[in-house]
């Protein structure tokens, strides 16, 4: 039901979608005008845009993707599906290089059926987009490490910059090469130009946009001091979240694979022509370090989505590691048995398919249109954040002319901050 439901499954769902529409309509209608003035005017009609609150890469990409003016809601979900497929394909290719194609297929399927991935591909959110780009970056990190070539480093830097330009927690990728160098002992890379080429690309492309996002986040009180107790609570929270998402068997095998990738880090050539397991481990390590130590106050499980694909890959490494304890021809049988156990205990324990049901705002806007109460009108929507976002997006995708002025009750009748705190009524 995702293609028939409105935007608003997550709090930022409608805002990401509307940021894309803002870009589309600016390119189609407002080129040459002051973009800030255009955005202010656009907000008075559709008060669910938030340009600058996130880095701009996905919103620009979505806006350009919507330029042919095909149905924007379906097209946006289709774009998310393509990006999710990219992540699964890259994971499949990486696992196939150190295991085999059936194992790569299992890893990709494990990723695609993870509940948070299913949920995020039925909404317009940045976490799966970030996961796709991060998985691609991990592949080029492995290529860069052996043999070291500047173009591989440049590609790693480019995809890392793209991660940072998609969402601020893309900064996790900055920690990945450091983790890989530590476990593999490739300290010689610190003396070569490739690593600094990658760093220069990130600094040039990503830092300016990240600074804008940081200033806007800081202005609304999104940052605070990090204490040991906060780090400990986050560690327990994210560990429990991953355990729930992957399931016990896949999580346990991923931990075995993580340990094995570290154990064989300095002689990884025995198992693969590329340090792919170490690159996957480095991506997980970077994700964990960033999300434990970053000063952003809010912690949500979906932030760790970029670690789901590498953990699925490491679960295959765990299967291979367990199989190495068996000598001779029985090793393949043990590997197949472990893979079967993981598949059965994981896939069959997954909840039923996510069913998206419309909130009802699509039907309501249709009725208002039939009565001539949308184009050029003022509309007050009194609801929670989900309802407000759903109404705004439903009106925006129909492109009424002249545009209406939609007023959100949570901005006019009451007021709170970005995170929904300190709510006060404006009128007695």
């Amino acid at each position: 039901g995702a293609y028939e439901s409105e935007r608003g499954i997550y709090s930022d769902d409608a805002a990401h979608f509307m940021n894309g529409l803002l870009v589309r309509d600016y390119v189609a209608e407002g080129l040459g005008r002051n973009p800030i003035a255009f955005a202010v005017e656009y907000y008075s009609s559709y008060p669910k845009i938030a340009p600058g609150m996130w880095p701009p890469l996905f919103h620009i990409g979505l806006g350009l993707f919507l330029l042919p003016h095909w149905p924007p809601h379906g097209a946006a979900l289709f774009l998310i599906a393509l990006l999710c497929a990219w992540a699964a394909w890259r994971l499949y290719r990486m696992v196939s290089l150190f295991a085999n194609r059936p194992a790569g297929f299992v890893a990709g399927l494990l990723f695609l059926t993870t509940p948070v991935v299913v949920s995020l591909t039925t909404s317009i959110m940045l976490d799966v987009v970030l996961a796709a780009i991060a998985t691609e970056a991990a592949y080029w990190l492995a290529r860069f490490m052996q043999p070291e070539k500047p173009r591989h480093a440049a590609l790693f830097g480019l995809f890392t910059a793209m991660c940072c330009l998609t969402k601020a927690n893309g900064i996790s990728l900055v920690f990945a090469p450091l983790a890989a160098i530590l476990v593999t002992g490739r300290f010689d890379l610190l003396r070569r130009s490739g690593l600094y080429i990658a760093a220069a690309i990130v600094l040039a492309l990503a830092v300016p946009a990240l600074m804008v996002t940081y200033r806007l986040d800081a202005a609304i009180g999104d940052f605070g001091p990090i204490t040991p107790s906060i780090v400990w609570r986050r560690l327990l929270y994210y560990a429990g979240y991953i355990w729930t998402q992957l399931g016990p068997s896949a999580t346990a095998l991923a931990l075995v694979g993580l340990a094995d990738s570290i154990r064989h880090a300095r002689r990884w050539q025995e198992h693969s022509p590329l340090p792919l397991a170490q690159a996957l481990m480095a991506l997980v390590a970077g994700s964990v370090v960033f999300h434990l130590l970053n000063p952003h106050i809010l912690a949500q499980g979906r932030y760790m989505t970029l670690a789901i694909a590498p953990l699925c890959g490491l679960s295959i490494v765990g299967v291979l590691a367990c199989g190495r304890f068996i000598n001779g021809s029985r090793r393949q049988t043990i590997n197949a048995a472990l893979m079967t156990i993981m598949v059965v205990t994981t896939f069959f324990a997954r909840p039923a398919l996510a069913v998206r049901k419309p909130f009802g705002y699509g039907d309501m806007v249709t009725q208002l249109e039939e009565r001539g109460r949308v184009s050029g009108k003022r509309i007050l929507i009194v609801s929670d954040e989900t309802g407000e976002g759903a109404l705004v997006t439903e009106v925006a995708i129909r492109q009424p002319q002249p545009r209406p002025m939609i007023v959100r009750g949570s901005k006019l009748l009451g007021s709170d901050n970005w995170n929904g705190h300190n709510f006060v009524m404006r009128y007695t």
Side-chain angles (χ1 to χ4, degrees):
Y3 286 86
E4 289 77 40
S5 63
E6 299 94 335
R7 303 274 44 89
I9 297 167
Y10 291 94
S11 60
D12 299 332
D13 187 4
H16 292 311
F17 180 70
M18 289 305 304
N19 278 358
L21 282 188
L22 170 66
V23 172
R24 182 201 69 178
D25 291 345
Y26 178 72
V27 173
E29 305 169 15
L31 276 181
R33 291 183 55 186
N34 182 307
I36 301 299
F38 183 88
V40 170
E41 182 181 312
Y42 201 84
Y43 182 88
S44 68
S45 291
Y46 305 126
K48 196 59 183 173
I49 60 169
M53 289 303 302
W54 298 274
L57 180 62
F58 175 75
H59 301 139
I60 292 173
L62 176 59
L64 297 177
F65 189 74
L66 296 178
L67 272 178
H69 283 275
W70 39 44
H73 182 202
L77 284 174
F78 182 68
L79 178 60
I80 294 290
L82 289 176
L83 291 165
C84 187
W86 174 24
W89 173 81
R90 176 49 75 192
L91 178 62
Y92 160 79
R93 293 287 296 164
M94 292 176 74
V95 173
S96 297
L97 287 173
F98 65 75
N100 52 47
R101 289 186 177 182
F105 179 80
V106 169
L109 192 61
L110 188 66
F111 168 75
L112 288 173
T113 58
T114 303
V116 67
V117 175
V118 174
S119 180
L120 290 169
T121 49
T122 54
S123 57
I124 312 302
M125 296 293 286
L126 301 179
D127 304 278
V128 165
V129 181
L130 182 61
I133 303 172
T135 306
E136 187 69 23
Y139 171 74
W140 290 107
L141 175 61
R143 291 292 303 269
F144 161 63
M145 294 187 69
Q146 183 66 30
E148 189 264 340
K149 291 182 179 179
R151 67 185 181 90
H152 295 156
L155 284 167
F156 170 72
L158 176 63
F159 285 110
T160 298
M162 290 173 66
C163 284
C164 296
L165 287 169
T166 299
K167 196 175 181 184
N169 59 341
I171 298 172
S172 302
L173 269 293
V174 173
F175 298 98
L178 302 178
I181 288 170
L182 284 173
V183 300
T184 59
R186 290 292 310 278
F187 296 102
D188 60 294
L189 294 177
L190 296 172
R191 300 190 298 271
R192 300 188 183 182
S193 62
L195 204 60
Y196 303 99
I197 291 172
I201 291 172
V202 174
L203 287 172
L205 296 182
V207 168
L210 285 172
M211 290 302 297
V212 172
T213 297
Y214 175 81
R215 286 198 296 269
L216 291 173
D217 272 349
I220 60 176
D222 261 7
F223 298 106
I226 299 301
T227 63
S229 63
I230 290 175
V231 172
W232 177 247
R233 286 200 301 272
R234 287 181 178 179
L235 179 62
L236 295 178
Y237 171 66
Y238 286 127
Y241 184 83
I242 290 172
W243 178 273
T244 302
Q245 291 294 319
L246 291 182
S249 59
T251 304
L253 285 168
L255 290 174
V256 173
L258 189 70
D260 188 69
S261 67
I262 296 172
R263 179 168 171 262
H264 292 97
R266 305 203 177 196
R267 48 191 181 90
W268 44 261
Q269 295 93 335
E270 296 175 9
H271 308 294
S272 171
L274 292 171
L276 293 164
Q278 288 70 34
L280 294 172
M281 177 280 305
L283 180 52
V284 173
S287 304
V288 171
V289 169
F290 176 82
H291 288 95
L292 291 183
L293 301 179
N294 84 87
H296 197 270
I297 296 172
L298 190 64
Q300 293 192 4
R302 61 181 171 82
Y303 294 164
M304 290 297 290
T305 304
L306 78 166
I308 296 294
L311 285 170
C312 293
L314 287 170
S315 69
I316 305 299
V317 178
V319 168
L320 299 177
C322 292
R324 282 199 294 273
F325 287 102
I326 307 298
N327 292 323
S329 60
R330 296 178 61 189
R331 179 179 297 177
Q332 294 297 328
T333 304
I334 294 298
N335 285 346
L338 285 172
M339 198 84 69
T340 302
I341 291 171
M342 181 176 68
V343 167
V344 170
T345 58
T346 300
F347 295 150
F348 286 90
R350 291 279 162 86
L353 288 174
V355 177
R356 298 299 185 201
K357 296 182 179 179
F359 303 131
Y361 287 95
D363 291 339
M364 186 179 70
V365 173
T366 297
Q367 292 186 26
L368 289 174
E369 277 190 317
E370 291 172 351
R371 299 173 186 176
R373 295 183 179 180
V374 175
S375 298
K377 303 295 185 181
R378 285 183 292 181
I379 303 171
L380 171 65
I381 169 65
V382 181
S383 181
D384 58 10
E385 185 177 17
T386 293
E388 291 180 347
L391 178 89
V392 170
T393 55
E394 279 300 308
V395 174
I397 63 177
R398 298 163 194 251
Q399 293 185 279
Q401 294 296 334
R403 287 178 182 153
M405 176 182 286
I406 300 177
V407 181
R408 294 171 57 186
S410 63
K411 305 296 183 184
L412 177 71
L413 304 179
S415 178
D416 57 17
N417 63 18
W418 177 266
N419 292 319
H421 301 145
N422 305 323
F423 180 83
V424 294
M425 295 296 291
R426 289 183 176 272
Y427 302 96
T428 56

